[in-house]
Amino acid sequence: MWKGKDPLSIGSVPRQTFSTSQETSVRYRHVRFEAAIIVRSFLHDDDVLFSRPKAQKKLDVLRIFRSPPRRFSTSSQCAATVRTSEKGPILMERADEPEPLKVTFGGPAKYFTDAAPIGNGRLGAMVWGGVASELLQLNEDTLWTGTPGNYTDPRVPAVLADVRKLVDDGEYADATAAAVNLLGNLSEAYQLLGDLKLDFDYLHLTYAEETYSRELDLNTATVRVGYSVGNVQFSREYFSSYPDQVIVMKISASKSGYVSFTVSLDSQLQHHSYVEGSNQIIMEGSCPGKRIPPEVNDNDPKGIQFCSILDLKISDERGTISILEDKKLKVEGADWAILCLVAASSFDGPLTNPSESKRDPTADAVRALKSIRNLSYAELYAHHLSDYQNLFQRVSLKLRKSSSSPSAMGNASLVTGEPSSITDPCNKGNESGKITTADRIKSFANDEDPFLVELLFQFGRYLLISCSRPGTQVANLQGIWNKDVAPKWDSAPHMNINLEMNYWPCLPCNLAECQEALFDFLSSLSVNGSETAKVNYGARGWVVHHKTDIWAKSSPVSGDVVWAMWAMGGAWLCTHLWEHYKYTMDKMLDIKQEFLRNKAYPLLEGCALFLLDWLIEGPDGYLETNPSTSPEHSFIAPNGKPASVSYSTTMDMAIIKEVFSGVVAAAEVLGYTNSDLVNKVQKAQTRLRPIKIAMDGSIMEWALDFKDPDIHHRHLSHLFGLFPGHTITWELTPDLCTAAEKSLYKRGEDGPGWSTTWKIALWARLHSSEHAYRMVKRLITLVDPDHEVSFHGGLYSNLFAAHPPFQIDANFGFIAAVAELLVQSTVKDLYLLPALPRDKWGNGWVNGLKARGGVTVNIRWSDGDLNEVDVWSKDQISLHKLHYKGTSVTVDIASHRVYTFNGQLSLMKTCSL
């Protein structure tokens, strides 16, 4: 127990709770000049800075809750109106002041996708925000079914020879049928940790609904719930701390002695829970050792073991804790309560069987709790904020309609500039009269509120920080947030688009550290993948297919050949390694390891070795892949039969070209250009089948111009070379860009969320802002959990993206695509506002985006035209060419200097960073 005074030092002072509509009105209210700069920071967080002098509190607020820097080139944009009144100088707050980056809700969650996510990369929770009964659905990222598997099959080589012969003979349907024998076993499934349940006393059944508020504050990575019962205000605050590896919850009331509740831990997994001492609940359990439950007499292997500990602290002056049923804790009459939850598992890497693990999850959880035992709530929160905001506040985005936009005046208030959905008195919002994020999504089709795009962009960055950190597992199909023991598609990493899309935004959106989990996972995949390559295919190097799990499964899963038989998963992931170097120009991932030489290049080398062996001589002189599929898409063979297996699909060739180019370029940096591998790769590059244009003018998806039975298919695999690849560009291959446009028209606009965001990025690469924006609108539609339509995409009320069901890849694809609308780059070229929807986001700025070549970029624009751009590099000296609307200028960028250009790309000034 914490001793002495309330560690929050909030005493009996009630914490003011504000609804979203109240906060909006505060933004435009006349405020005292001397308080204007700090009023917003105090709206919710006055209780964080306890027992400090008044002046120091102001300094701390500015330090902890500082807004991202904003720079403008015209005085009219940064001017604030000051007038005099009887009460002294009054500041009219600027119309360009940022709205709070908050996802808001009108009531407790009814569905999983109404709940608010928190996470620290490893520990996650979905906060439902119930009043009489609260639920936190808990996740720990190492909880999976199964044990390490054998990912080899010595029968495969004979089957492979038969399949290749059938393909060579043009018997594509028969080859597809035979390829079933190339497949392996099921992958394992991601699990949940359990539920933290809070049941409050009877008073909470009578709360005033109009006082309820629930929000996820993206700037602080904090969920807050507030409501009133009579004249008592109740507040809850939740966050998940990466530096301290703990989920923290604070419960308080405006009147002394009103905090009473019962708390328990539960799980759908095999478990038992018990009270330890007088203020801790321990839950210990295990994941299934087999994905499929064993038969009665079968020996069930030992699965991953886990432990979670909930530590409860209350005010010393008032309140009691008692034990119920040996597994629950009951709080009565307290002023406040702090709950800290830690968790650990026996998972000791993908190559270690849980039965052989030396990790003791209970002991690890106890140690984790002991490490924070002497930290106050304020200290925990300060650690959390410092860590999180160091990442989150690197990038800021402001989007506003231009004054010439046809909808700018019709959809905005003349006084405030707010969208009509917020200011129109005829817009009632939800039943409580508050405007929620769900209301914004519903009205977007009409008001096209740019702030919602900002919010969705920053929400994606929040999710990435919250589910992928150094030392964690990779972000899976649902990040880390899962409520089921049998989640859809196992919530497993899929490598034919989904896992890669999860990590698209890391580099451009200035979150490179979040990519480290992917590189660690790649190392494990390469170990298992080398055995699969050797035994199954008689090849060197390593291979991974379309789906994997925590055990780094490398062989194909069982199922349908159209999606399971695809040997390019590892190769696609390897393109992220070279992209990391191109963005950072840094050979060091950390001070202990040389990234390019010791991490990236060995993985690229192993991948290239496999690809060289996987490629076989074709009848017309090209090196071919056989068998080959275009992910999840079938064709009609010349004999009229459906098939999916052929040779050298366009995606295969595009990925191999990217990997080979990366190997050659990395070898040049490292001085390996004369190696035998590089020489073989360079020879192979000239013999890869080129991208071809079909009779209808579109990009051919297969090596032959097969009939496509589903032209609106969700996958866009044949356009990999356009994005995320680099082999289709307006500068070098204009004919292919025109064909890519035709392909996108054919595919249409329908599809799941991830397909929609991929299309945004593809249209951005084609510099088509109109079509890209149409897909933005297509994504921002509200999904009703009671009436989900598969493959239709959209957003849930908490901004989770929908397949449906919820899949996190589209959240990440969206932010990567928005970055592409604003900045595109090569190692030597920087393209400014290449696909900005000028009639929709005519005014705005973005700070902190990254570009290839180790460059950081700030851009400001108005009425659709570039105003200013800042470029700089912290550690590199580089030569870049800036491009904007046909104008180009070359700049020699010295390290630690900022170069500012105007809209005509004339250098205005330089200064030290």
Side-chain angles (χ1 to χ4, degrees), residues 295-308:
E295 300 297 330
V296 175
N297 296 320
D298 197 4
N299 292 321
D300 185 12
K302 182 178 181 180
I304 295 172
Q305 310 295 297
F306 66 85
C307 175
S308 181

Side-chain angles (χ1 to χ4, degrees), residues 402-519:
S402 72
S403 57
S404 59
S405 170
S407 62
M409 300 307 294
N411 285 325
S413 161
L414 292 173
V415 177
T416 67
E418 285 298 311
S420 60
S421 62
I422 304 302
T423 59
D424 187 347
C426 296
N427 192 317
K428 303 296 185 183
N430 57 26
E431 293 179 359
S432 67
K434 301 171 185 176
I435 304 299
T436 66
T437 299
D439 295 325
R440 287 182 178 270
I441 298 171
K442 283 189 285 189
S443 66
F444 188 82
N446 296 319
D447 62 36
E448 301 183 43
D449 178 9
F451 171 72
L452 186 57
V453 177
E454 294 175 34
L455 186 67
L456 185 59
F457 176 84
Q458 294 290 24
F459 179 69
R461 294 183 69 248
Y462 164 80
L463 290 179
L464 186 54
I465 296 168
S466 301
C467 74
S468 183
R469 292 290 203 101
T472 71
Q473 304 305 305
V474 290
N476 59 51
L477 273 188
Q478 297 179 177
I480 53 173
W481 299 281
N482 165 47
K483 64 181 175 62
D484 300 311
V485 292
K488 190 71 171 178
W489 301 298
D490 305 325
S491 197
H494 286 58
M495 293 171 291
N496 60 7
I497 176 59
N498 314 98
L499 180 58
E500 291 85 358
M501 183 177 283
N502 283 0
Y503 288 93
W504 281 355
C506 288
L507 297 168
C509 296
N510 213 336
L511 294 172
E513 298 93 328
C514 295
Q515 208 174 22
E516 290 187 26
L518 178 65
F519 298 152

Side-chain angles (χ1 to χ4, degrees), residues 685-848:
Q685 283 178 303
T686 64
R687 300 183 60 196
L688 296 177
R689 182 175 291 275
I691 298 174
K692 295 166 67 176
I693 298 176
M695 290 292 291
D696 66 359
S698 64
I699 299 287
M700 283 175 51
E701 187 163 353
W702 299 273
L704 299 177
D705 198 0
F706 295 125
K707 180 180 179 180
D708 186 345
D710 183 8
I711 61 172
H712 301 309
H713 195 269
R714 61 194 175 275
H715 278 263
L716 302 131
S717 307
H718 53 314
L719 301 183
F720 174 94
L722 177 61
F723 185 90
H726 308 89
T727 53
I728 300 176
T729 67
W730 281 117
E731 291 76 20
L732 300 178
T733 58
D735 290 347
L736 291 180
C737 284
T738 300
E741 286 183 320
K742 176 67 175 178
S743 295
L744 281 169
Y745 285 127
K746 281 181 62 177
R747 276 298 200 256
E749 297 182 350
D750 291 338
W754 59 262
S755 178
T756 301
T757 59
W758 196 356
K759 289 171 184 172
I760 299 171
L762 289 164
W763 282 118
R765 282 279 174 93
L766 291 170
H767 301 171
S768 178
S769 59
E770 177 185 355
H771 287 96
Y773 186 76
R774 284 175 62 87
M775 299 313 300
V776 170
K777 287 193 68 175
R778 180 69 71 155
L779 178 70
I780 304 178
T781 56
L782 187 65
V783 176
D784 181 353
D786 282 328
H787 302 92
E788 293 181 346
V789 181
S790 295
F791 304 104
H792 275 227
L795 301 174
Y796 294 102
S797 67
N798 65 357
L799 290 184
F800 272 170
H803 186 285
F806 158 53
Q807 258 184 226
I808 205 166
D809 39 28
N811 287 107
F812 299 143
F814 178 77
I815 55 178
V818 169
E820 286 290 319
L821 296 175
L822 303 176
V823 176
Q824 294 176 23
S825 63
T826 69
V827 172
K828 295 297 184 183
D829 296 276
L830 191 60
Y831 299 89
L832 306 171
L833 306 181
L836 174 72
R838 288 172 167 79
D839 58 332
K840 305 299 181 181
W841 308 335
N843 299 316
W845 47 258
V846 63
N847 291 340

